[in-house]
Amino acid sequence: MKLDKLVGERFKEKPSDCVIESHALMVRGGYIKDVAKGIYSQYTPLKRICQKIEAILREEMDAIDGQEVLFPVSLPASLWDESGRYESVGSELLRFSDRNGTKMVMGMTHEEAAVHLVRDYAKSYNNYPFMIYQIQTKFRDEARPRAGLIRVREFTMKDAYSFHTSQEDLERYYQICYDAYNRIFARAGIPEVVTVASDSGMMGGSLAHEYMLLTPVGEDSIAICDACDYRSNMEAAESIIENEKDASYEELTKVYTPDIHTIEEICDFLHSPLEKSCKAVVYQKNMTDDYVVVFIRGDLDINETKLTNYLGEAIHPAVITPECGLHAGYIGPVGLHVEGDFTVVYDRSLEGTNNLSCGANEEEYHYTGLCMERDVKDASYVDVAKIIEGGICPKCGQKKIHLSRGIEVGNIFQLGTKYTKSMNMQYLDAEGNSHYPIMGCYGIGVGRLAASVCEAHHDEYGPIWPISIAPWQVHLCCLRSDDAESKTYADQLYDALKKERIEVIYDDRNVRPGVMFSDADLLGVPIRLVVSPRNMKESVVELSSRDKSVQEKVALDEVVPTVKALIDRMMQEINEKC
């Protein structure tokens, strides 16, 4: 490929709307162009990168007995009605009607399509286990797309679905996929990816893991223990709080607190720490608008994912109206009354506490001396709090939790029978009894993985692509293409590299060296060869690696074998990390 024919532009200035470096570099380097919010077209360099990622995905899925299939992008709503997700999934699911008035959806995930494909085939235990996978375009109407390809609305994804006759067999295969995913990320050039326990969310199921690339620009928060191997997405991390009850009990006392509405204000007013307060956070259920009042220790925050899972339905922040009976800023657990149906939830951080401040359910009044055992006898406690920095590790029990940021680059779920049961997929065992198959689900976003590799491996000048997924293996630069000797040799070298099936991008434009090298940095090709009049006088070519680990001069007749050896060495270094 000659660079002067490469469609797309490369430029120096960082776009103002790019919040993370990988997004800026992909725009500046001629990888993507935005079409609409969260929707991008791919130029040739990114398309080539994604094709190589897809090849790795296929090799690893085929190696664990996966069978590639292809599901439709648009699906009838009736399939999602079968599973119950047509109504339960929020506005992320794009719903529309075709010209005949049939309700349709754009596939954001394909569990329903997977069950539909195999439920007529897999009616005997003899057909199990098996795994099917696809690499397909999906659409998720994300409310806040951001960070380039990290959070988009339209994306390409490898998703796989396994079917089993026992939980034990699912767990056996789950571990096989777990290991295959580690190999995939190592082969793609980011072996530093870690696995964390996660919440299964709308996917359902009993166990889930996310593969996280730890980076300060990540959108997910991860709880990591410094004393053991515990790692979890904050949404799934158990919050363990040690409460020390005061030896003496205060009386429950109503205190006049004028014009005070926040937990911080009341603690300042009473000269007491946040952890000696009980605060109320109010939500409403999406389906009914019924109120949900959550009480939690004042220094902690609500984990809305945990709360949603506990309630079994989606929620949103409440709009507190005068007629509902709640007094915003003065809500407390003693004598609480709300008009209509409502739910009260007590976080475990309040269990066994005393001498707390809280709202008195009366305008401009709070209580002091709240003792949960004495004053709220019927309270039952659940974990709906976010884990905190320095918190107690759920695995080893030490106060060694620290919070980090990460980009989710893949996920795996043990789905159980959520979809096979709701869609009535059954098989007969050896005795002729009917059972629902047990499913696993395994996903990797192709474009997000490419962007994550760029985020992990770049410098101030551009991406540093690993040899395994780089758009080309070699970037050949001919300085002074108006010099006949240099141009003749560079042309010959270009042909020789192609003859050896080495992927090469050739820049023979008549431009300044700075422009040529700047474009080369933005394309991030692992190996660079420079032909110039000065080098020709020495009968050498300058060879360097994009990561600056290799810089040498190579004799003209040794360039091709040296390049081949370097490519092999780079690939070997990647494979050793798998």
Side-chain angles (χ1 to χ4, degrees):
M1 177 80 195
K2 285 203 171 186
L3 187 59
D4 65 344
K5 300 298 183 184
L6 182 63
V7 175
E9 294 180 315
R10 288 151 297 283
F11 53 90
K12 185 176 181 179
E13 298 77 18
K14 181 177 180 179
S16 59
D17 59 343
C18 296
V19 297
I20 67 172
E21 200 62 29
S22 61
H23 185 196
L25 292 175
M26 284 191 161
V27 173
R28 290 177 52 210
Y31 294 85
I32 57 175
K33 184 174 183 179
D34 65 295
V35 179
K37 192 175 183 180
I39 301 175
Y40 294 89
S41 290
Q42 296 182 6
Y43 287 109
T44 300
L46 180 58
K47 181 61 178 173
R48 292 175 65 92
I49 291 168
C50 289
Q51 285 174 330
K52 291 185 178 182
I53 291 174
E54 291 175 13
I56 293 172
L57 294 171
R58 286 189 171 95
E59 288 173 11
E60 292 295 340
M61 292 299 99
D62 291 347
I64 58 174
D65 297 325
Q67 301 177 57
E68 186 169 6
V69 298
L70 189 65
F71 304 125
V73 177
S74 57
L75 299 161
S78 57
L79 277 183
W80 283 63
D81 271 330
E82 284 189 58
S83 69
R85 289 205 295 178
Y86 185 75
E87 294 294 342
S88 65
V89 172
S91 54
E92 297 90 350
L93 178 65
L94 182 60
R95 302 163 172 88
F96 64 99
S97 297
D98 66 15
R99 65 194 301 167
N100 299 313
T102 303
K103 291 182 178 180
M104 306 287 290
V105 302
M106 291 290 286
M108 57 189 284
T109 180
H110 278 82
E111 286 74 19
E112 289 84 357
V115 171
H116 175 268
L117 183 69
V118 300
R119 64 181 166 186
D120 293 329
Y121 155 77
K123 291 186 174 181
S124 168
Y125 72 98
N126 288 316
N127 299 123
Y128 294 83
F130 62 92
M131 184 268 272
I132 55 178
Y133 75 93
Q134 68 162 351
I135 299 175
Q136 174 63 294
T137 300
K138 297 175 183 284
F139 188 89
R140 177 187 177 98
D141 202 4
E142 177 65 49
R144 292 176 294 276
R146 61 177 292 275
L149 299 182
I150 300 297
R151 183 176 286 276
V152 292
R153 293 196 293 161
E154 183 179 288
F155 53 97
T156 299
M157 188 170 183
K158 188 284 300 176
D159 50 327
Y161 305 93
S162 64
F163 294 79
H164 309 268
T165 58
S166 70
Q167 178 63 27
E168 292 75 17
D169 191 58
L170 169 60
E171 291 173 0
R172 174 194 65 82
Y173 194 74
Y174 190 85
Q175 183 63 48
I176 290 172
C177 289
Y178 182 98
D179 295 337
Y181 267 42
N182 286 326
R183 290 193 300 273
I184 287 168
F185 297 122
R187 291 182 62 184
I190 46 173
E192 59 267 39
V193 165
V194 301
T195 55
V196 301
S198 69
D199 176 71
S200 57
M202 72 168 186
M203 307 294 289
S206 58
L207 181 65
H209 287 87
E210 292 171 340
Y211 290 77
M212 288 285 183
L213 175 66
L214 300 182
T215 169
V217 302
E219 57 186 359
D220 290 298
S221 294
I222 302 150
I224 300 173
C225 180
D226 292 330
C228 71
D229 61 356
Y230 177 80
R231 295 188 296 265
S232 176
N233 191 304
M234 182 181 280
E235 293 180 341
E238 181 184 7
S239 174
I240 301 175
I241 300 296
E242 287 182 337
N243 287 315
E244 294 185 5
K245 187 179 296 184
D246 295 341
S248 60
Y249 288 73
E250 300 174 4
E251 292 295 324
L252 185 67
T253 304
K254 187 181 290 186
V255 179
Y256 180 55
T257 52
D259 198 30
I260 290 178
H261 299 278
T262 69
I263 194 69
E264 290 80 11
E265 288 173 344
I266 186 61
C267 288
D268 285 343
F269 181 83
L270 298 172
H271 305 293
S272 64
L274 282 172
E275 58 267 26
K276 295 299 289 183
S277 65
C278 167
K279 70 178 176 182
V281 185
V282 187
Y283 297 92
Q284 287 175 276
K285 298 179 180 179
N286 285 3
M287 298 294 291
T288 62
D289 272 345
D290 291 341
Y291 286 98
V292 179
V293 182
V294 185
F295 292 107
I296 189 171
R297 206 171 76 179
D299 60 324
L300 302 177
D301 293 317
I302 302 295
N303 184 322
E304 293 184 3
T305 299
K306 290 183 186 177
L307 180 59
T308 298
N309 292 341
Y310 172 73
L311 296 171
E313 54 187 301
I315 54 172
H316 60 271
V319 176
I320 298 177
T321 59
E323 63 271 12
C324 75
L326 292 171
H327 300 274
Y330 302 96
I331 303 169
V334 181
L336 176 64
H337 175 73
V338 180
E339 292 296 328
D341 293 329
F342 71 100
T343 304
V344 179
V345 178
Y346 300 94
D347 182 68
R348 287 194 321 205
S349 59
L350 296 174
E351 189 171 8
T353 56
N354 67 343
N355 299 340
L356 305 182
S357 62
C358 67
N361 298 308
E362 182 180 343
E363 290 290 334
E364 299 192 330
Y365 283 91
H366 281 78
Y367 281 123
T368 60
L370 172 69
C371 171
M372 293 299 295
E373 291 177 351
R374 180 192 66 201
D375 302 319
V376 194
K377 292 184 175 65
D378 59 348
S380 59
Y381 302 92
V382 294
D383 173 26
V384 292
K386 289 182 179 179
I387 196 169
I388 60 173
E389 184 79 27
I392 299 171
C393 173
K395 184 173 182 178
C396 71
Q398 298 190 54
K399 294 182 178 180
K400 294 288 186 177
I401 289 292
H402 79 265
L403 303 180
S404 184
R405 305 291 295 178
I407 299 172
E408 179 192 337
V409 292
N411 51 56
I412 57 178
F413 302 89
Q414 291 187 20
L415 296 177
T417 59
K418 173 181 171 67
Y419 296 95
T420 55
K421 185 176 289 187
S422 63
M423 298 182 69
N424 197 32
M425 177 182 177
Q426 298 186 59
Y427 70 91
L428 297 178
D429 64 17
E431 287 75 39
N433 299 313
S434 294
H435 303 276
Y436 297 107
I438 300 170
M439 288 179 64
C441 172
Y442 321 89
I444 291 178
V446 177
R448 175 181 281 208
L449 179 52
S452 297
V453 174
C454 180
E455 191 63 44
H457 300 291
H458 69 268
D459 58 19
E460 60 184 304
Y461 305 108
I464 304 173
W465 296 112
I467 193 74
S468 55
I469 66 168
W472 295 274
Q473 296 167 318
V474 175
H475 193 123
L476 173 59
C477 298
C478 179
L479 303 186
R480 291 284 308 277
S481 58
D482 58 340
D483 178 77
E485 184 181 17
S486 298
K487 183 65 164 64
T488 298
Y489 176 78
D491 287 348
Q492 293 172 349
L493 180 56
Y494 177 51
D495 291 337
L497 292 167
K498 289 195 297 179
K499 187 176 180 180
E500 293 293 329
R501 298 186 179 277
I502 294 171
E503 301 167 7
V504 56
I505 181 84
Y506 178 26
D507 190 353
D508 62 348
R509 297 172 299 165
N510 187 21
V511 297
R512 292 180 290 107
V515 173
M516 189 173 288
F517 294 149
S518 177
D519 284 354
D521 286 337
L522 284 170
L523 288 174
V525 176
I527 300 171
R528 186 180 306 176
L529 300 174
V530 178
V531 178
S532 68
R534 184 179 64 181
N535 289 335
M536 291 306 295
K537 289 180 181 179
E538 299 179 32
S539 297
V540 297
V541 168
E542 291 181 36
L543 182 153
S544 63
S545 61
R546 177 65 184 83
D547 64 3
K548 306 295 192 296
S549 64
V550 177
Q551 288 183 316
E552 58 183 287
K553 293 184 178 181
V554 182
L556 299 182
D557 57 355
E558 292 294 325
V559 174
V560 174
T562 301
V563 168
K564 290 176 65 177
L566 182 54
I567 291 172
D568 290 343
R569 192 179 85 199
M570 288 179 168
M571 285 300 301
Q572 182 180 355
E573 289 173 353
I574 286 177
N575 292 331
E576 287 174 351
K577 297 175 182 178
C578 294

